[in-house]
Each structure stands twice: as C-alpha cells, then as structure tokens.
Amino acid sequence: NGKTADIAITERGSDFYFAICAAMTVSGFCFIALAYRKQRRDRLFHYLTAAVVFVAAIAYFTMGSNLGFTPIHVEYSRSNPKVSGSYRSIYYVRYIDWFITTPLLLLDLLLTAGMPWPTLLWVIIVDWIMIITGLIGALVDSRYKWAYFAFGCFALVYIVYQLVWESRIHARAYGRDVERVFTMCGSLTTVLWILYPVAWGLSEGGNVIAPDSEAVFYGVLDFLAKPIFGALLIWGHRNIEPARLGL
Ligand code: RET
C-alpha cells in the first residue's frame, strides 16, 4: 500500500502540529503589526521573519492534517518488533518549508552582519545542499541514507563556521548594538541548527523515536528557531537604522 504507514502520528501528534501552526500564525501577524510602526524602507527584517513563520504555519497545517508525508520502508518497528519491514511516515513537507525558510533566516543573520552579496549567495547555496541531501537521505531506503546525511552535516559545519567566525567578526565593525544582536541570534541559531541532524538521526534516519516524538522534537526546535529567534532579532534591531548596514 503506497498511501498508509504503520508507523505514523497519532491524534496527539496531530494536535501538537496544529498548536505549533497556531503559534507560527500569531507570531507572523505580530511581526507584520510591528512592521507598520516603521517606514516602508525599514521593514526588511520584519518581512523576512514574517515570511519564515507564515511558510512554517502552512507546513505545520499540512502535517497536522496528516498530509505531506510518504511511507518509507524501515527495518524495524517498535510497535511490532516481530515484523521486519514496516513503513514510517516521512514528512517531506518539512524540507519544502526548510528550503524556503532557512535561506531567509540566514539572510536575517548575514544582513545583520553586513556581509556582501557573494557571501550571502554562497552560504544559501550551501544551505540548499544541506536541505536537499537531508531530503534524499530521508527518502532512500538503504544504508546510503547515511552518506547523504554526512554530506548535509559537512554543509552545516561550513554554515556554522560562517556564523561563529566570519560573520561575527564582520558584525563587530558596525558597532556594539549590531554586534550584540548578531551574537544573540547567531548563537541561538548555532545551538539549534546543530540539534536538527540529531532529530533527523532519531527519526528519518534511524527510526529510533516514534513519529509523535519526532513532532515534539522538531516542533520545539522550529518554535525556537523561527518565532523566538525572530522576536529577538526584531527587538535587537529596534535602534539600528538598516541604512547603517548598507540596506
Ligand atoms: C538535516 C539532515 C542532513 C544533515 C543536516 C540537516 C540539518 C538541518 C537543519 C535544519 C534547520 C531548519 C530550520 C528550520 C526552521 O526554521 C537536513 C536535518 C545537517 C540545520 C532552522
């Protein structure tokens, strides 16, 4: 059967997805409301961050509705250990969300640090490689999935290097307040982004935790990486003229 998976979310997992969907939606409207207190040309970070949470809201709506997944063959089923060969729901819709939103989050950070456009482009391309290799690894049913996972981890190492080293040093040149917001949001991002491959290894990768636990793991990460990150970023920019960053 190509449509159902025996390892899938329950009603509670679905409710949790809808709760995160609501949180994303509410924070999106808050960011837009804050944008209207600014001149049109000073709304860049509000718009970028609102776009991130609205896209995530739609992805969470999809997962709460138990759509946007495909059943992938796994070796072992916890609920039915005697059966070798079960099917787990793999939510490919996450990767569509991440393909759109992770570059926007990187723009939030790298533009705060005043990085030039060739760097923005290069880091976003590396980010896309990370997301797509993660998607392929999630969808293939063999030991090759860990090769794709390794490619994605290399890409993440480079992104982390850009954030904790190159961009952090660049941000310093724009003054104490820029350095402060970059350090705060950059550190939060570094810690959270490193936890995504951990969640992946336990869910799509190793089928160690149940899809409901996967919902909570990724859900908490996404809640911190999008609305909480966004609120800190917009707050940190309250006294920074985008023109100072060349924007
Ligand atoms: C994958 C698997 C392959 C290896 C690595 C991954 C990292 C994913 C990350 C995702 C971040 C998502 C965010 C979403 C919402 O805002 C693709 C799981 C390294 C870092 C921040």
Side-chain angles (χ1 to χ4, degrees):
N1 188 330
K3 284 271 158 45
T4 56
D6 46 339
I7 308 175
I9 56 167
T10 68
E11 225 165 296
R12 284 190 190 155
S14 163
D15 287 345
F16 187 79
Y17 277 131
F18 281 127
I20 299 285
C21 171
M24 295 285 181
T25 308
V26 169
S27 61
F29 284 112
C30 292
F31 298 152
I32 293 296
L34 290 169
Y36 279 85
R37 297 159 55 115
K38 297 260 183 186
Q39 299 287 328
R40 264 191 210 88
R41 54 167 309 116
D42 293 340
R43 295 176 185 170
L44 177 61
F45 293 100
H46 302 76
Y47 287 152
L48 280 175
T49 312
V52 166
V53 293
F54 283 134
V55 169
I58 297 167
Y60 273 88
F61 172 80
T62 306
M63 295 187 286
S65 310
N66 213 12
L67 299 168
F69 74 89
T70 190
I72 296 293
H73 179 260
V74 292
E75 288 299 319
Y76 174 73
S77 161
R78 246 200 339 190
S79 56
N80 204 349
K82 293 213 175 96
V83 179
S84 113
S86 292
Y87 286 83
R88 180 185 175 105
S89 307
I90 297 292
Y91 289 90
Y92 60 79
V93 73
R94 284 189 204 293
Y95 301 85
I96 301 176
D97 166 345
W98 296 346
F99 193 81
I100 299 169
T101 59
T102 53
L104 299 178
L105 292 166
L106 289 171
L107 280 181
D108 265 342
L109 285 167
L110 299 180
L111 291 173
T112 296
M115 295 302 267
W117 74 261
T119 309
L120 306 184
L121 181 66
W122 175 236
V123 175
I124 287 171
I125 291 169
V126 173
D127 176 73
W128 276 336
I129 292 174
M130 175 183 82
I131 301 300
I132 296 300
T133 53
L135 172 62
I136 297 170
L139 295 178
V140 298
D141 155 30
S142 69
R143 60 206 152 86
Y144 290 104
K145 68 196 301 124
W146 296 102
Y148 288 98
F149 179 73
F151 300 146
C153 288
F154 277 121
L156 178 62
V157 166
Y158 179 76
I159 293 169
V160 165
Y161 160 75
Q162 272 295 332
L163 295 179
V164 305
W165 193 252
E166 306 253 347
S167 302
R168 188 179 51 84
I169 289 166
H170 209 265
R172 270 194 214 154
Y174 293 88
R176 289 294 298 273
D177 46 356
V178 173
E179 188 187 353
R180 199 177 310 126
V181 59
F182 183 83
T183 306
M184 183 171 62
C185 295
S187 324
L188 179 67
T189 297
T190 301
V191 171
L192 293 174
W193 285 37
I194 289 172
L195 292 171
Y196 280 86
V198 176
W200 191 98
L202 297 173
S203 314
E204 288 102 320
N207 187 36
V208 177
I209 61 175
D212 278 355
S213 315
E214 170 193 340
V216 174
F217 200 151
Y218 279 131
V220 169
L221 286 180
D222 280 350
F223 180 73
L224 296 171
K226 289 168 161 142
I228 299 297
F229 166 92
L232 285 173
L233 185 97
I234 288 172
W235 183 72
H237 272 276
R238 71 199 176 286
N239 296 321
I240 301 170
E241 289 261 314
R244 232 169 83 201
L245 302 165
L247 299 170

